[in-house]
Every structure is written in structure tokens, then in C-alpha cells.
Amino acid sequence: MSATVAAEIICSNPDCRVSVDKKCVEGLSFDKCQFYGKPPAAPPPTEGAEAAAPASGLDLDPGVPLHAVQASGILRSARSRVIGIIGSYDCGKTSLLAGLYDLFQEGPIGGVTFAGSSTLHGFETICHDSRVASKRGVAHSPRTSRGEVAFYHIDVLQDGETDVVSLLLADRSGEEYEEVADDMSNGHAMFELRRADTVTVLIDGRRLCNPKTRHDVINSVAPIVQGLQESGAFARRPQLAVVLTKNDAVVGSDKAAVAAADFVRLVETMERRFGDRFSAVRKFVTTASPTGMAVKRGDGLRDLLYYWLNVIPPEPAAPVRTDSDRVFAALRPREE
């Protein structure tokens, strides 16, 4: 009986205290009150409640550069190559990464085809300021911030292969590498070099052509490599690629011959001093983002990519001679 009475003394009017004083707030008898005997309405949702509710839909990967733990996950799950990239501030590291990505958008690079990436947004971010869409008067590459190393990821498929290879391209501030020359202990935490399959040292071609900065470029590289070596960064004996960047600036300079000779001597010095710490040493000349038309965009990146993937570059095909100036006259039957 008491349960029945308790169930009846309810009112949907939030101002009514009928359950306490047994009186209708409107002064009506219970049988004439439209709210009596009905449960109270649910309170309106508070501000921000909708945002707190579980979201529906597909949770997309943000596509930003990976941190070390995420990169390690790729290393465990797929055939991979880790590329450590060492260079001073403004040596062309970001342009190199962006240039390789942009080159893949035109199609396969030689016999290497783009097969995917988990850092597409990161690549688009570093490429944007060098494109017409940015409305910049001069192409620009953003500066790498100090802090933890980040990794740009590209999956590639080589001709004749069935398995995809994951390239993990390390991106760390150039100032942090420079600090290793003063204190080798700064290299102990550089995971990207301890795990690298190829260590890539970048030499700024524009600064090498400038008499005011030439000697600084020549004399700054060896102490960095020396410090990294003493910190144990090359224990796995990776490959070494010594890369001259911004070759368009070298070609357009009246000091081009001097800069080219300096670069050759620098590579020879690196091989003589540190050759036993690496499984192979090779030099490359690249132009990732030229400012003029003297050098083709992406020049030299194909051979560097092959080296990263341990692929022997194919011999260039001999040009077909023809008496006609029509393109179709150069076509020949395909050899199976």
C-alpha cells in the first residue's frame, strides 16, 4: 500500500513540492492537475555535454611525422630502411625531404614506385611553402624545431619486387647535431643514428660557394661525425652518403669549380678518417628545390634513393639516333 501511495505522489512540474507538503503548487486538486502523477522531465543537457558524448564515425590517422615509438612499430612490422640525415642549420634537409615526396607525385622514380605513407599531412606541410598555392614570391622550407627526432614515412615498391619497403626519414634540428661536436654525450640519445641503415651527411652548396662561409662548411662536418662516432652512433656500420645540396647555387656561381673541388676533397677526407666505421661511402650531388632553370628540380635524388634502398642504378640508355625530328620516329619494338 505504501509503495502505491509513494508512486502517486509525484509531479512533473519542477516547482511543485507535492511529495513534501502534499499540496499542489497550482492550488488544484490532484485529479484536476495535468502534472500530478507524471514523472519529472529529464533535465536539459549542460553546456559541453554533446562534446563529451562518444563521437561516431571513422577515427582517421592525423598523418603527422612519427615519434620514435611509432617508428619502432613500423620497423617491427615491415621491411624497413632508417635514414639518418645530418646537417647544419639551413643546409637543405627539409627541402630534400619535400623534394623527394614531390618527385613521387609525378610518378615512379626510376624503378621505384610510391606505395603509401602514414605521414602525408606532414609531407604536405613542408611542401606547401615551395608551391605556387602558397602565393610566396620565393620558395621556402620551414625550419625543423628543436626537440625529439621525428620520422617521415614513405612505403615504396621496387620493380621486380613483391614486398613493400618502408623508408623512415629522420628529421632532427641541425643545431642538435652541431652540439655533438662540442660534447659527444649529446649523441647518446640519437636513436635515428644508432638504428640507421644509411647515414646521410648534407653539405650546403650555396655556403660552399661563398668565400665568407666556405671554410666553416669544410671544417664543421668532421667534428660532428667524430663526436657521433665516439658516442657509439655508428655501431651498426651503416652506409654513408655525403650529399652536396643546392647544386643550382653551385652551377650558377663563379666559384663553381672551387666548390666542386672542395666537395671532392671533403668526401675523401671523410672516407680516410671514418671509412672503417661505415660499410660503404658514396658522394651525391642534388638539387631538391632549385631557384632557377639551370638545374632540373629533383636532380640527383634518384641515385640517392637507390643508395638508400641498396639498389644499383641502371646504366643510362643510349640515345636513339634518327633522321626525323618527330618523337614517334624514335620508338622501337619492345623486347620481351
Side-chain angles (χ1 to χ4, degrees), residues 148-223:
E148 292 295 322
V149 64
F151 292 87
Y152 289 86
H153 165 231
I154 297 179
D155 284 336
V156 297
L157 184 65
Q158 303 171 52
D159 284 353
E161 297 281 345
T162 56
D163 294 332
V164 167
V165 176
S166 293
L167 276 177
L168 290 169
L169 309 171
D171 185 26
R172 184 187 289 274
S173 169
E175 289 92 336
E176 294 184 49
Y177 289 122
E178 292 173 346
E179 290 170 358
V180 177
D182 300 322
D183 184 356
M184 71 175 188
S185 65
N186 290 322
H188 290 159
M190 292 183 173
F191 160 80
E192 71 276 16
L193 299 181
R194 289 186 285 105
R195 183 54 188 84
D197 297 286
T198 302
V199 172
T200 305
V201 177
L202 304 185
I203 310 299
D204 188 337
R206 179 177 289 114
R207 296 183 68 216
L208 198 59
C209 291
N210 187 337
K212 296 180 180 179
T213 56
R214 169 175 169 259
H215 291 288
D216 182 51
V217 173
I218 296 172
N219 297 324
S220 64
V221 176

Side-chain angles (χ1 to χ4, degrees), residues 39-268:
T46 58
E47 185 177 354
E50 294 184 1
S56 60
L58 183 63
D59 185 14
L60 296 177
D61 192 292
V64 297
L66 310 175
H67 53 66
V69 174
Q70 293 170 312
S72 295
I74 292 178
L75 290 175
R76 291 191 297 268
S77 63
R79 288 178 58 195
S80 306
R81 300 282 189 276
V82 178
I83 312 301
I85 305 177
I86 301 172
S88 59
Y89 166 66
D90 198 31
C91 67
K93 174 163 50 68
T94 303
S95 295
L96 182 72
L97 297 173
L100 182 65
Y101 171 73
D102 261 345
L103 211 56
F104 269 123
Q105 297 195 49
E106 298 177 1
I109 302 177
V112 182
T113 302
F114 178 84
S117 171
S118 59
T119 57
L120 286 176
H121 183 71
F123 274 119
E124 287 293 328
T125 299
I126 62 176
C127 288
H128 175 73
D129 285 345
S130 63
R131 293 174 175 166
V132 175
S134 70
K135 298 182 180 179
R136 282 180 170 268
V138 179
H140 170 76
S141 295
R143 178 181 178 181
T144 302
S145 301
R146 294 176 66 95
E148 292 295 322
V149 64
F151 292 87
Y152 289 86
H153 165 231
I154 297 179
D155 284 336
V156 297
L157 184 65
Q158 303 171 52
D159 284 353
E161 297 281 345
T162 56
D163 294 332
V164 167
V165 176
S166 293
L167 276 177
L168 290 169
L169 309 171
D171 185 26
R172 184 187 289 274
S173 169
E175 289 92 336
E176 294 184 49
Y177 289 122
E178 292 173 346
E179 290 170 358
V180 177
D182 300 322
D183 184 356
M184 71 175 188
S185 65
N186 290 322
H188 290 159
M190 292 183 173
F191 160 80
E192 71 276 16
L193 299 181
R194 289 186 285 105
R195 183 54 188 84
D197 297 286
T198 302
V199 172
T200 305
V201 177
L202 304 185
I203 310 299
D204 188 337
R206 179 177 289 114
R207 296 183 68 216
L208 198 59
C209 291
N210 187 337
K212 296 180 180 179
T213 56
R214 169 175 169 259
H215 291 288
D216 182 51
V217 173
I218 296 172
N219 297 324
S220 64
V221 176
I224 295 175
V225 177
Q226 179 72 40
L228 290 169
Q229 174 194 314
E230 293 176 359
S231 71
F234 309 137
R236 299 179 72 248
R237 295 191 75 240
Q239 299 182 131
L240 175 64
V242 186
V243 180
L244 180 71
T245 62
K246 307 177 187 178
N247 188 47
D248 56 315
V250 176
V251 171
S253 170
D254 57 358
K255 304 291 184 181
V258 175
D262 285 340
F263 177 63
V264 170
R265 281 194 296 270
L266 193 151
V267 175
E268 291 173 348

